[in-house]
Amino acid sequence: MADHVEIERKYDAESDFVLPDLSDVPGVHAVGEPQTHLLVAKYFDTPDLRLAARGITLRRRRGGDDAGWHLKMPVGPDTKKELRAPLGRAQVVPARLAGLVSAHTRGEPLQPVATLETGRTVIRLLGPDGEVLAEVADDAVAGQVIAGADGESGGPPSGGTWREIEVELVDGPAALLKAVGKRVRKAGARKAESASKLGRVLEPVLARGREQRPPATGPAQGTAGAALTAYLAAQVDALLAHDPKARLAEYDAVHKMRVSVRRIRSALKSYRPVLDRSRTDALRPELKWLADELGAVRDLEVLRERFTGRLDALPADLAAHQGWLDALRNQETAAYRRLNTALGEPRYFRLLDALDELLADPPLTDRADREAAKELRRLVRQAWRKLQRAYDGIEAAPPEERDTARHETRKEAKRARYAAEAAQGVLGKPAATVAANAQAMQDVLGRFQDGVIAQEHLARIAADSTDPREAFTLGALYEIERAEARSALNDVAATWAKAGDPAALNALRL
């Protein structure tokens, strides 16, 4: 399955629009000969258009240089990640592409919802060595909604025709996209009303759906409930955005997805006074399950990256013995397979449905109606006091239990950080300072914890090793990890002295 990042801008144009000369645009050395294509695409979505509502398009297109199945997911302004698969069967979405959108479809069938026929004329803007900097497509489009695409069986299909200019970067700089767009607008085109052709043809259907929804009944603006709901919505959006990236094993995607899950779970705990626990407490074990599934991959990922970096710093004769590291990579690959299975389970989809319901009808208590700044100050200070008690408990614990106490302190630091981050939009710099201080404690204790875990992993491998050279390498790494853990431990008190400065917490006084 091929993929690439698509960076483009779209412009609407009248039928008599004439594409201007682009050969003298700064950076362009030549313009290629026009090429024409007839593109026929069928778009797939759930009956209630869940993908379209998220700006995601899934199509099977014939014609042109890239015939096949295309899945496009927004990743930023003017930018989409596009994944492709061969044409295959006309009515059967490739399983891999269907899986990448299953966090949205959640078991609902994917069916044809629209067709688009595009007469396309493409010119390529070339660099000094003939490289393609950008492609400019002049499209005459005819779109049609398939009857019943909005979940209703009756009614005639609808659609329309229009002309559109697409400017897509290939190997050119971002400035070229802007320069070509300026030239096209000067010639009479205008910024497109829709970010996609499908969005344009489906907009009447989506608009009817929006009109039929009951009016929102969320908490009043300026209240603690409104602030918390906005934070939770942002984290759910992050979870959904990183879901397909985690399935594809993109760098750091599993970590970011797990962080969003942990933030949701932490908020449900730290902000309990403003939440109806009869509805939220059942969510927390399900969120923990998902975090653990992600963590199984992330922990192996961290160890592999950590040990790879350590080996790069060792003499070549020691770093040559890496059979055990290959085994770790294999474990990580297997963990990714298990994660993909978990992300396709009904349990995961039920959790996502529950999060949607939580946002649609927030389970708030009377305290959620209080003024946001006052209530959030209380809750952030409360989270910090729990961290302070946990830190004090390290010295109070018996020596053999202090590592456990440090781990609990790290967890409280993480909760205090997330509680302060959730309040940052309301409380501003004071909350940001508390979040940064909590993160400093989380990081220093995390360095210690990571060193301990690394030592334990190396000791297990060494116990099974029969190669003296490999055992020597493992021993060298073990000593490095022990020194790292000791260094982190020596930094804890100084980090707390700075992070625990009363001035930061005093700024949150009522």
Side-chain angles (χ1 to χ4, degrees), residues 222 224 370-379 426-427 508 510:
R370 296 180 181 179
E371 194 265 324
K374 289 184 178 180
E375 190 65 19
L376 268 54
R377 283 191 187 101
R378 291 190 186 96
L379 295 173
V426 174
L427 303 179
L508 289 174
L510 299 178

Side-chain angles (χ1 to χ4, degrees), residues 6-123:
E6 178 183 83
I7 304 174
E8 67 178 14
R9 292 183 182 176
K10 298 174 180 288
Y11 303 90
D12 290 336
E14 301 299 331
S15 59
D16 59 352
F17 174 82
V18 177
L19 192 68
D21 179 16
L22 301 173
S23 61
D24 61 343
V25 171
V28 175
H29 287 250
V31 175
E33 290 296 319
Q35 299 179 3
T36 59
H37 306 282
L38 177 62
L39 311 176
V40 180
K42 182 173 287 186
Y43 288 79
F44 289 71
D45 205 333
T46 59
D48 54 357
L49 304 178
R50 298 181 184 185
L51 302 186
R54 287 272 178 178
I56 299 170
T57 59
L58 174 61
R59 73 187 177 203
R60 183 181 186 270
R61 189 169 76 183
R62 293 177 285 112
D65 299 328
D66 61 348
W69 288 88
H70 303 160
L71 171 63
K72 295 186 179 184
M73 297 178 286
V75 295
D78 304 319
T79 307
K80 295 180 179 180
K81 184 177 182 66
E82 180 177 329
L83 298 105
R84 300 173 182 173
L87 277 170
R89 297 166 63 185
Q91 299 295 324
V92 181
V93 178
R96 186 64 167 142
L97 297 184
L100 292 175
V101 296
S102 61
H104 303 291
T105 59
R106 302 176 196 174
E108 288 297 308
L110 286 164
Q111 64 183 39
V113 296
T115 58
L116 289 175
E117 186 171 298
T118 304
R120 169 167 289 182
T121 301
V122 180
I123 62 170

